[in-house]
mmCIF file with all atom_site columns, all heavy atoms in Angstrom:
data_model
loop_
_atom_site.group_PDB
_atom_site.id
_atom_site.type_symbol
_atom_site.label_atom_id
_atom_site.label_alt_id
_atom_site.label_comp_id
_atom_site.label_asym_id
_atom_site.label_entity_id
_atom_site.label_seq_id
_atom_site.pdbx_PDB_ins_code
_atom_site.Cartn_x
_atom_site.Cartn_y
_atom_site.Cartn_z
_atom_site.occupancy
_atom_site.B_iso_or_equiv
_atom_site.pdbx_formal_charge
_atom_site.auth_seq_id
_atom_site.auth_comp_id
_atom_site.auth_asym_id
_atom_site.auth_atom_id
_atom_site.pdbx_PDB_model_num
ATOM 1   N N   . PHE A 1 87  ? 5.879  -3.171  -15.711 1.00 91.00 ? 87  PHE A N   1
ATOM 2   C CA  . PHE A 1 87  ? 4.584  -3.631  -15.071 1.00 91.00 ? 87  PHE A CA  1
ATOM 3   C C   . PHE A 1 87  ? 4.444  -5.189  -15.325 1.00 91.00 ? 87  PHE A C   1
ATOM 4   O O   . PHE A 1 87  ? 4.015  -5.892  -14.630 1.00 91.00 ? 87  PHE A O   1
ATOM 5   C CB  . PHE A 1 87  ? 3.379  -2.890  -15.668 1.00 91.00 ? 87  PHE A CB  1
ATOM 6   C CG  . PHE A 1 87  ? 2.103  -3.286  -14.811 1.00 91.00 ? 87  PHE A CG  1
ATOM 7   C CD1 . PHE A 1 87  ? 1.847  -2.702  -13.746 1.00 91.00 ? 87  PHE A CD1 1
ATOM 8   C CD2 . PHE A 1 87  ? 1.242  -4.164  -15.526 1.00 91.00 ? 87  PHE A CD2 1
ATOM 9   C CE1 . PHE A 1 87  ? 0.676  -2.993  -13.074 1.00 91.00 ? 87  PHE A CE1 1
ATOM 10  C CE2 . PHE A 1 87  ? 0.074  -4.449  -14.821 1.00 91.00 ? 87  PHE A CE2 1
ATOM 11  C CZ  . PHE A 1 87  ? -0.276 -3.938  -13.673 1.00 91.00 ? 87  PHE A CZ  1
ATOM 12  N N   . SER A 1 88  ? 4.757  -5.582  -16.537 1.00 92.00 ? 88  SER A N   1
ATOM 13  C CA  . SER A 1 88  ? 4.634  -6.972  -16.927 1.00 92.00 ? 88  SER A CA  1
ATOM 14  C C   . SER A 1 88  ? 5.812  -7.895  -16.687 1.00 92.00 ? 88  SER A C   1
ATOM 15  O O   . SER A 1 88  ? 5.713  -9.026  -16.757 1.00 92.00 ? 88  SER A O   1
ATOM 16  C CB  . SER A 1 88  ? 4.298  -7.065  -18.478 1.00 92.00 ? 88  SER A CB  1
ATOM 17  O OG  . SER A 1 88  ? 3.039  -6.343  -18.767 1.00 92.00 ? 88  SER A OG  1
ATOM 18  N N   . CYS A 1 90  ? 8.261  -7.245  -13.955 1.00 91.00 ? 90  CYS A N   1
ATOM 19  C CA  . CYS A 1 90  ? 8.894  -6.570  -12.834 1.00 91.00 ? 90  CYS A CA  1
ATOM 20  C C   . CYS A 1 90  ? 9.583  -7.672  -11.874 1.00 91.00 ? 90  CYS A C   1
ATOM 21  O O   . CYS A 1 90  ? 10.474 -7.222  -11.152 1.00 91.00 ? 90  CYS A O   1
ATOM 22  C CB  . CYS A 1 90  ? 7.851  -5.838  -12.012 1.00 91.00 ? 90  CYS A CB  1
ATOM 23  S SG  . CYS A 1 90  ? 6.389  -6.718  -11.330 1.00 91.00 ? 90  CYS A SG  1
ATOM 24  N N   . THR A 1 120 ? 3.313  4.110   -6.429  1.00 96.00 ? 120 THR A N   1
ATOM 25  C CA  . THR A 1 120 ? 2.715  3.304   -5.374  1.00 96.00 ? 120 THR A CA  1
ATOM 26  C C   . THR A 1 120 ? 2.188  1.919   -6.067  1.00 96.00 ? 120 THR A C   1
ATOM 27  O O   . THR A 1 120 ? 2.390  0.801   -5.562  1.00 96.00 ? 120 THR A O   1
ATOM 28  C CB  . THR A 1 120 ? 1.642  3.903   -4.587  1.00 96.00 ? 120 THR A CB  1
ATOM 29  O OG1 . THR A 1 120 ? 2.239  5.043   -3.867  1.00 96.00 ? 120 THR A OG1 1
ATOM 30  C CG2 . THR A 1 120 ? 1.080  3.011   -3.568  1.00 96.00 ? 120 THR A CG2 1
ATOM 31  N N   . PHE A 1 121 ? 1.394  2.078   -7.131  1.00 94.00 ? 121 PHE A N   1
ATOM 32  C CA  . PHE A 1 121 ? 0.764  0.838   -7.796  1.00 94.00 ? 121 PHE A CA  1
ATOM 33  C C   . PHE A 1 121 ? 1.956  -0.095  -8.083  1.00 94.00 ? 121 PHE A C   1
ATOM 34  O O   . PHE A 1 121 ? 1.561  -1.284  -8.040  1.00 94.00 ? 121 PHE A O   1
ATOM 35  C CB  . PHE A 1 121 ? -0.114 1.343   -8.979  1.00 94.00 ? 121 PHE A CB  1
ATOM 36  C CG  . PHE A 1 121 ? 0.567  1.634   -10.231 1.00 94.00 ? 121 PHE A CG  1
ATOM 37  C CD1 . PHE A 1 121 ? 0.872  0.502   -11.134 1.00 94.00 ? 121 PHE A CD1 1
ATOM 38  C CD2 . PHE A 1 121 ? 1.128  2.804   -10.451 1.00 94.00 ? 121 PHE A CD2 1
ATOM 39  C CE1 . PHE A 1 121 ? 1.500  0.755   -12.379 1.00 94.00 ? 121 PHE A CE1 1
ATOM 40  C CE2 . PHE A 1 121 ? 1.904  3.124   -11.662 1.00 94.00 ? 121 PHE A CE2 1
ATOM 41  C CZ  . PHE A 1 121 ? 2.077  1.994   -12.615 1.00 94.00 ? 121 PHE A CZ  1
ATOM 42  N N   . MET A 1 122 ? 3.038  0.402   -8.711  1.00 94.00 ? 122 MET A N   1
ATOM 43  C CA  . MET A 1 122 ? 3.975  -0.548  -9.113  1.00 94.00 ? 122 MET A CA  1
ATOM 44  C C   . MET A 1 122 ? 4.757  -1.188  -7.960  1.00 94.00 ? 122 MET A C   1
ATOM 45  O O   . MET A 1 122 ? 5.088  -2.373  -7.920  1.00 94.00 ? 122 MET A O   1
ATOM 46  C CB  . MET A 1 122 ? 5.070  0.164   -9.905  1.00 94.00 ? 122 MET A CB  1
ATOM 47  C CG  . MET A 1 122 ? 6.137  -0.746  -10.489 1.00 94.00 ? 122 MET A CG  1
ATOM 48  S SD  . MET A 1 122 ? 5.578  -2.210  -11.389 1.00 94.00 ? 122 MET A SD  1
ATOM 49  C CE  . MET A 1 122 ? 4.823  -1.377  -12.920 1.00 94.00 ? 122 MET A CE  1
ATOM 50  N N   . ALA A 1 123 ? 4.994  -0.451  -6.853  1.00 96.00 ? 123 ALA A N   1
ATOM 51  C CA  . ALA A 1 123 ? 5.591  -1.026  -5.538  1.00 96.00 ? 123 ALA A CA  1
ATOM 52  C C   . ALA A 1 123 ? 4.658  -2.011  -5.097  1.00 96.00 ? 123 ALA A C   1
ATOM 53  O O   . ALA A 1 123 ? 5.300  -3.157  -4.603  1.00 96.00 ? 123 ALA A O   1
ATOM 54  C CB  . ALA A 1 123 ? 5.909  0.095   -4.632  1.00 96.00 ? 123 ALA A CB  1
ATOM 55  N N   . GLU A 1 124 ? 3.453  -1.683  -4.935  1.00 97.00 ? 124 GLU A N   1
ATOM 56  C CA  . GLU A 1 124 ? 2.468  -2.809  -4.487  1.00 97.00 ? 124 GLU A CA  1
ATOM 57  C C   . GLU A 1 124 ? 2.516  -4.095  -5.262  1.00 97.00 ? 124 GLU A C   1
ATOM 58  O O   . GLU A 1 124 ? 2.400  -5.192  -4.730  1.00 97.00 ? 124 GLU A O   1
ATOM 59  C CB  . GLU A 1 124 ? 1.055  -2.185  -4.403  1.00 97.00 ? 124 GLU A CB  1
ATOM 60  C CG  . GLU A 1 124 ? 0.849  -1.137  -3.420  1.00 97.00 ? 124 GLU A CG  1
ATOM 61  C CD  . GLU A 1 124 ? -0.472 -0.415  -3.396  1.00 97.00 ? 124 GLU A CD  1
ATOM 62  O OE1 . GLU A 1 124 ? -1.047 -0.450  -4.502  1.00 97.00 ? 124 GLU A OE1 1
ATOM 63  O OE2 . GLU A 1 124 ? -0.869 0.179   -2.410  1.00 97.00 ? 124 GLU A OE2 1
ATOM 64  N N   . ARG A 1 125 ? 2.554  -3.883  -6.513  1.00 95.00 ? 125 ARG A N   1
ATOM 65  C CA  . ARG A 1 125 ? 2.718  -5.190  -7.434  1.00 95.00 ? 125 ARG A CA  1
ATOM 66  C C   . ARG A 1 125 ? 4.034  -5.930  -7.197  1.00 95.00 ? 125 ARG A C   1
ATOM 67  O O   . ARG A 1 125 ? 3.921  -7.205  -7.038  1.00 95.00 ? 125 ARG A O   1
ATOM 68  C CB  . ARG A 1 125 ? 2.655  -4.730  -8.889  1.00 95.00 ? 125 ARG A CB  1
ATOM 69  C CG  . ARG A 1 125 ? 2.732  -5.852  -9.896  1.00 95.00 ? 125 ARG A CG  1
ATOM 70  C CD  . ARG A 1 125 ? 2.538  -5.146  -11.367 1.00 95.00 ? 125 ARG A CD  1
ATOM 71  N NE  . ARG A 1 125 ? 2.667  -6.315  -12.354 1.00 95.00 ? 125 ARG A NE  1
ATOM 72  C CZ  . ARG A 1 125 ? 1.825  -7.235  -12.648 1.00 95.00 ? 125 ARG A CZ  1
ATOM 73  N NH1 . ARG A 1 125 ? 0.616  -7.298  -12.095 1.00 95.00 ? 125 ARG A NH1 1
ATOM 74  N NH2 . ARG A 1 125 ? 2.067  -8.069  -13.669 1.00 95.00 ? 125 ARG A NH2 1
ATOM 75  N N   . VAL A 1 126 ? 5.079  -5.283  -7.009  1.00 96.00 ? 126 VAL A N   1
ATOM 76  C CA  . VAL A 1 126 ? 6.362  -5.906  -6.822  1.00 96.00 ? 126 VAL A CA  1
ATOM 77  C C   . VAL A 1 126 ? 6.268  -6.770  -5.275  1.00 96.00 ? 126 VAL A C   1
ATOM 78  O O   . VAL A 1 126 ? 6.587  -7.881  -5.245  1.00 96.00 ? 126 VAL A O   1
ATOM 79  C CB  . VAL A 1 126 ? 7.558  -5.012  -6.693  1.00 96.00 ? 126 VAL A CB  1
ATOM 80  C CG1 . VAL A 1 126 ? 8.736  -5.677  -6.261  1.00 96.00 ? 126 VAL A CG1 1
ATOM 81  C CG2 . VAL A 1 126 ? 7.712  -4.491  -8.194  1.00 96.00 ? 126 VAL A CG2 1
ATOM 82  N N   . VAL A 1 127 ? 5.812  -6.036  -4.336  1.00 97.00 ? 127 VAL A N   1
ATOM 83  C CA  . VAL A 1 127 ? 5.817  -6.696  -3.038  1.00 97.00 ? 127 VAL A CA  1
ATOM 84  C C   . VAL A 1 127 ? 4.814  -7.927  -3.052  1.00 97.00 ? 127 VAL A C   1
ATOM 85  O O   . VAL A 1 127 ? 5.008  -8.902  -2.399  1.00 97.00 ? 127 VAL A O   1
ATOM 86  C CB  . VAL A 1 127 ? 5.571  -5.723  -1.879  1.00 97.00 ? 127 VAL A CB  1
ATOM 87  C CG1 . VAL A 1 127 ? 6.588  -4.797  -1.683  1.00 97.00 ? 127 VAL A CG1 1
ATOM 88  C CG2 . VAL A 1 127 ? 4.099  -5.099  -2.019  1.00 97.00 ? 127 VAL A CG2 1
ATOM 89  N N   . ARG A 1 128 ? 3.596  -7.758  -3.834  1.00 97.00 ? 128 ARG A N   1
ATOM 90  C CA  . ARG A 1 128 ? 2.622  -8.821  -3.874  1.00 97.00 ? 128 ARG A CA  1
ATOM 91  C C   . ARG A 1 128 ? 3.303  -10.005 -4.640  1.00 97.00 ? 128 ARG A C   1
ATOM 92  O O   . ARG A 1 128 ? 3.299  -11.256 -4.162  1.00 97.00 ? 128 ARG A O   1
ATOM 93  C CB  . ARG A 1 128 ? 1.414  -8.370  -4.704  1.00 97.00 ? 128 ARG A CB  1
ATOM 94  C CG  . ARG A 1 128 ? 0.483  -7.705  -4.019  1.00 97.00 ? 128 ARG A CG  1
ATOM 95  C CD  . ARG A 1 128 ? -0.870 -7.523  -4.512  1.00 97.00 ? 128 ARG A CD  1
ATOM 96  N NE  . ARG A 1 128 ? -0.834 -7.056  -5.826  1.00 97.00 ? 128 ARG A NE  1
ATOM 97  C CZ  . ARG A 1 128 ? -1.018 -5.747  -6.266  1.00 97.00 ? 128 ARG A CZ  1
ATOM 98  N NH1 . ARG A 1 128 ? -1.137 -4.968  -5.273  1.00 97.00 ? 128 ARG A NH1 1
ATOM 99  N NH2 . ARG A 1 128 ? -0.842 -5.473  -7.501  1.00 97.00 ? 128 ARG A NH2 1
ATOM 100 N N   . GLN A 1 129 ? 4.051  -9.691  -5.725  1.00 96.00 ? 129 GLN A N   1
ATOM 101 C CA  . GLN A 1 129 ? 4.658  -10.824 -6.621  1.00 96.00 ? 129 GLN A CA  1
ATOM 102 C C   . GLN A 1 129 ? 5.725  -11.451 -5.772  1.00 96.00 ? 129 GLN A C   1
ATOM 103 O O   . GLN A 1 129 ? 6.134  -12.655 -6.081  1.00 96.00 ? 129 GLN A O   1
ATOM 104 C CB  . GLN A 1 129 ? 5.244  -10.092 -7.880  1.00 96.00 ? 129 GLN A CB  1
ATOM 105 C CG  . GLN A 1 129 ? 4.157  -9.640  -8.696  1.00 96.00 ? 129 GLN A CG  1
ATOM 106 C CD  . GLN A 1 129 ? 3.700  -10.605 -9.756  1.00 96.00 ? 129 GLN A CD  1
ATOM 107 O OE1 . GLN A 1 129 ? 4.079  -11.766 -9.792  1.00 96.00 ? 129 GLN A OE1 1
ATOM 108 N NE2 . GLN A 1 129 ? 2.722  -10.130 -10.517 1.00 96.00 ? 129 GLN A NE2 1
ATOM 109 N N   . MET A 1 130 ? 6.504  -10.706 -4.940  1.00 97.00 ? 130 MET A N   1
ATOM 110 C CA  . MET A 1 130 ? 7.539  -11.252 -4.220  1.00 97.00 ? 130 MET A CA  1
ATOM 111 C C   . MET A 1 130 ? 7.022  -11.920 -2.874  1.00 97.00 ? 130 MET A C   1
ATOM 112 O O   . MET A 1 130 ? 7.794  -12.582 -2.140  1.00 97.00 ? 130 MET A O   1
ATOM 113 C CB  . MET A 1 130 ? 8.484  -10.175 -3.767  1.00 97.00 ? 130 MET A CB  1
ATOM 114 C CG  . MET A 1 130 ? 9.251  -9.531  -4.901  1.00 97.00 ? 130 MET A CG  1
ATOM 115 S SD  . MET A 1 130 ? 10.021 -10.600 -6.028  1.00 97.00 ? 130 MET A SD  1
ATOM 116 C CE  . MET A 1 130 ? 11.358 -11.377 -4.995  1.00 97.00 ? 130 MET A CE  1
#
Side-chain angles (χ1 to χ4, degrees):
F87 185 80
S88 300
C90 60
T120 299
F121 80 92
M122 182 56 69
E124 290 175 338
R125 178 175 174 82
V126 170
V127 297
R128 285 196 303 269
Q129 296 273 355
M130 299 305 298

